[in-house]
Amino acid sequence: MKKLRIHELTVPLTAGSIAPLKAGDKVLLSGIIYSARDAAHKRLAEMIHRGDSLPFDLAGQVIYYLSPSPAKPGMIIGSSGPTSSYRLDSYTPALLELGLKGMIGKGARSREVIDAIVKNRAVYFMAVGGAAVKMAQSIVSARMIAFPDLETEAILELKIEKMPLFVAVDADGSDIFKI
Amino acid sequence: MNEIDISRIISAVKTLCMEANYLIDPIVRERLRIALKKEDLPIAREILEMILENHILAHEKQMPICQDCGVVVVFIELGQDVHIVGGDFYEAIQEGVRRGYSDGYLRKSIVSDPIFGRKNTQDNTPAIIHTEIVQGNSIQITIAPKGGGAENMSEIKMLKPADGIEGMKNFIIDCVKRAGGNPCPPVIVGVGVGGDFEQCALMAKKALLRPLNEPNSVLEWAEVERDLLARINDLGIGPMGTGGKTTALAVQIIQKPCHMASLPVAVNIQCHAHRHRSIRVE
């Protein structure tokens, strides 16, 4: 039985820091990341189209396809597992062009997204869907930074420590869902 | 005749919403543990271990197993000798959902219009309610919160009678294949065969509610379920779609009579969190 290769990595990511990652490897990710899903991606795309500045600088950053359940009193965040990534596929290449280096979600990506990942030397991580309390344990702070009217779909800035992820698509375009 | 006040309906629905989201079905947990014993691919094992650990964390912290606390699907079996008093029955169910999702810190995921605005209704209502009138003087309430990821992978097709058993099986297997890792495998595959267009879809969802350790009561159909489960697990999709021996934990079919021109087949895919909870209000 081949053991999983495990990497510890900190955001912001660079082409160099993600170079050793291969599809199927495990990653413990730390640093600041941002949550965004369907409605927030639609807004980001509209802002890019209009030439507006975005709520956060995408360079080297990671977006987590997440809208958590509400935090109970005294807790940092509620359950925090990933949502399906394919729904964001149409928005992703433009964000990668602007310097986004990583996405966290679940399920396979389109050919266009994988091509854009290779072109921009980025990485797509998979989190385990339905392991949402476990995922929340690696979030040490959460703060809403944009689109409060989107409520649970607003953009959160999340500080994470050793979030357990798997490399689903690496910078060379190897895809765990096709291996 | 048995009088039941709506306050008891509200309170039952509220509790069921919370319990369904916090507590895993023990049979699902058992099937996942068996799956872990069979898997030798390291990534599949890690994923299953995380899912199993998450059940314990959710239970301990009384937090939802999954952040997608779903659209609430309610199945009511209303005894014909029950008289509901104190207010509107359906509104009582919606109020129970409202309270369960608010007091239980569950995510509200419902938008008011599918196209225009897509504004969150803030309380996870409306729930989708299916009512059946049955004999007796009690009410059986089942709450099955359904996540968007798995529901989105569901399909229905009006096959031709000539497509037969293999046509039916291929459609079901292809549906699971197309879904891949999206619906959070290991999945439970609910299938409706027969009926008409809308009944077939409902049968597929209802099939999910049959206990996973109870095969179809008709011998031929139990054999179809076994064969489909084996063929689906041979696809190699595996936990979360990253490969392995466990793609589905069960295939559950409801079959019903249909028109001589028709062979409707519906597939409703359920994620490994498989949330459902029932109570009888007497």
Side-chain angles (χ1 to χ4, degrees):
Chain A
M1 192 191 302
K2 210 176 122 243
K3 275 186 73 177
L4 282 180
R5 297 204 312 161
I6 303 177
H7 309 263
E8 291 205 16
L9 209 59
T10 304
V11 189
L13 305 178
T14 64
S17 73
I18 64 170
L21 306 183
K22 296 287 166 229
D25 290 354
K26 186 174 178 181
V27 170
L28 299 171
L29 191 68
S30 302
I32 303 284
I33 63 170
Y34 298 90
S35 76
R37 53 176 288 159
D38 308 62
H41 271 76
K42 187 162 180 274
R43 288 237 181 128
L44 291 174
E46 287 161 2
M47 291 170 92
I48 292 167
H49 184 72
R50 285 197 304 264
D52 295 350
S53 63
L54 299 180
F56 62 98
D57 183 7
L58 289 172
Q61 295 304 331
V62 173
I63 290 179
Y64 186 6
Y65 302 145
L66 162 72
S67 73
S69 64
K72 285 190 159 183
M75 299 195 102
I76 293 158
I77 200 161
S79 299
S80 295
T83 194
S84 299
S85 307
Y86 74 92
R87 295 196 315 273
L88 294 321
D89 279 353
S90 58
Y91 303 111
T92 302
L95 300 174
L96 290 167
E97 286 294 320
L98 291 171
L100 182 71
K101 273 283 174 234
M103 296 79 65
I104 305 170
K106 66 178 172 85
R109 308 304 305 255
S110 67
R111 188 70 252 164
E112 291 71 23
V113 169
I114 295 172
D115 290 345
I117 286 171
V118 174
K119 182 178 169 224
N120 295 285
R121 307 308 292 169
V123 57
Y124 166 49
F125 299 108
M126 189 199 82
V128 177
V133 186
K134 167 83 180 159
M135 294 302 294
Q137 289 196 310
S138 50
I139 299 174
V140 296
S141 74
R143 179 171 75 94
M144 190 188 293
I145 60 148
F147 313 149
D149 60 304
L150 295 182
E151 288 141 21
T152 187
E153 291 199 62
I155 294 184
L156 305 175
E157 183 190 84
L158 304 167
K159 186 160 191 265
I160 59 169
E161 266 176 30
K162 297 190 179 176
M163 181 175 270
L165 304 170
F166 300 93
V167 178
V169 179
D170 63 33
D172 296 322
S174 277
D175 180 358
I176 182 82
F177 298 105
K178 297 219 173 66
I179 292 172
Chain B
M1 192 169 62
N2 182 17
E3 280 202 349
I4 295 179
D5 192 90
I6 58 146
S7 61
R8 294 180 60 205
I9 311 284
I10 296 173
S11 139
V13 169
K14 175 188 161 176
T15 306
L16 291 176
C17 286
M18 289 161 64
E19 288 178 351
N21 275 289
Y22 300 159
L23 307 172
I24 192 71
D25 174 341
I27 308 171
V28 171
R29 187 165 167 79
E30 188 49 36
R31 292 256 164 134
L32 288 167
R33 292 167 79 133
I34 294 167
L36 177 60
K37 285 193 187 121
K38 286 188 195 157
E39 291 287 357
D40 38 36
L41 198 66
I43 191 165
R45 293 186 58 84
E46 287 247 355
I47 290 168
L48 290 172
E49 280 166 2
M50 273 178 73
I51 292 168
L52 287 163
E53 184 191 350
N54 188 66
H55 296 159
I56 296 166
L57 292 170
H59 189 179
E60 276 173 10
K61 295 174 186 289
Q62 298 284 290
M63 280 170 74
I65 294 165
C66 179
Q67 77 292 336
D68 182 354
C69 303
V71 57
V72 180
V73 185
V74 186
F75 291 92
I76 299 288
E77 287 176 26
L78 178 62
Q80 61 189 10
D81 296 328
V82 170
H83 181 205
I84 292 155
V85 294
D88 184 282
F89 177 62
Y90 289 122
E91 180 42 38
I93 293 169
Q94 303 293 358
E95 182 59 23
V97 170
R98 233 169 252 135
R99 292 189 194 175
Y101 275 66
S102 160
D103 297 359
Y105 294 89
L106 303 175
R107 198 183 78 186
K108 292 86 183 163
S109 308
I110 308 303
V111 296
S112 57
D113 187 293
I115 294 290
F116 300 105
R118 291 188 70 88
K119 187 94 188 105
N120 196 297
T121 63
Q122 312 258 22
D123 59 10
N124 217 47
T125 66
I128 293 166
I129 306 171
H130 302 292
T131 315
E132 233 179 295
I133 309 291
V134 298
Q135 290 196 350
N137 61 0
S138 62
I139 311 172
Q140 176 84 9
I141 306 176
T142 298
I143 298 279
K146 191 69 165 33
E151 189 73 355
N152 282 349
M153 295 297 118
S154 303
E155 296 187 34
I156 185 162
K157 195 163 182 190
M158 306 304 279
L159 297 180
K160 299 185 294 291
D163 293 326
I165 187 165
E166 275 312 305
M168 167 193 75
K169 285 183 178 176
N170 289 337
F171 171 65
I172 297 163
I173 293 165
D174 288 347
C175 178
V176 175
K177 210 166 162 180
R178 277 190 289 275
N182 289 317
C184 289
V187 294
I188 294 121
V189 186
V191 180
V193 184
D196 68 348
F197 183 78
E198 83 279 2
Q199 188 186 40
C200 189
L202 185 55
M203 283 151 55
K205 181 152 285 174
K206 263 189 125 164
L208 295 171
L209 298 173
R210 196 177 81 210
L212 297 195
N213 52 4
E214 277 178 24
N216 198 299
S217 57
V218 177
L219 220 58
E220 293 97 320
W221 285 99
E223 179 50 37
V224 171
E225 289 177 352
R226 269 196 301 276
D227 180 48
L228 281 170
L229 181 61
R231 284 167 68 176
I232 285 167
N233 283 330
D234 281 344
L235 292 172
I237 293 169
M240 294 310 295
T242 58
K245 295 174 181 164
T246 324
T247 301
L249 300 177
V251 176
Q252 316 237 104
I253 302 176
I254 291 180
Q255 68 282 356
K256 281 200 191 289
C258 64
H259 192 287
M260 61 187 178
S262 300
L263 175 50
V265 182
V267 181
N268 193 236
I269 296 185
Q270 172 74 305
C271 65
H272 60 71
H274 189 36
R275 291 157 294 189
H276 64 96
R277 204 86 181 162
S278 301
I279 197 170
R280 185 170 293 280
V281 180
E282 310 252 341

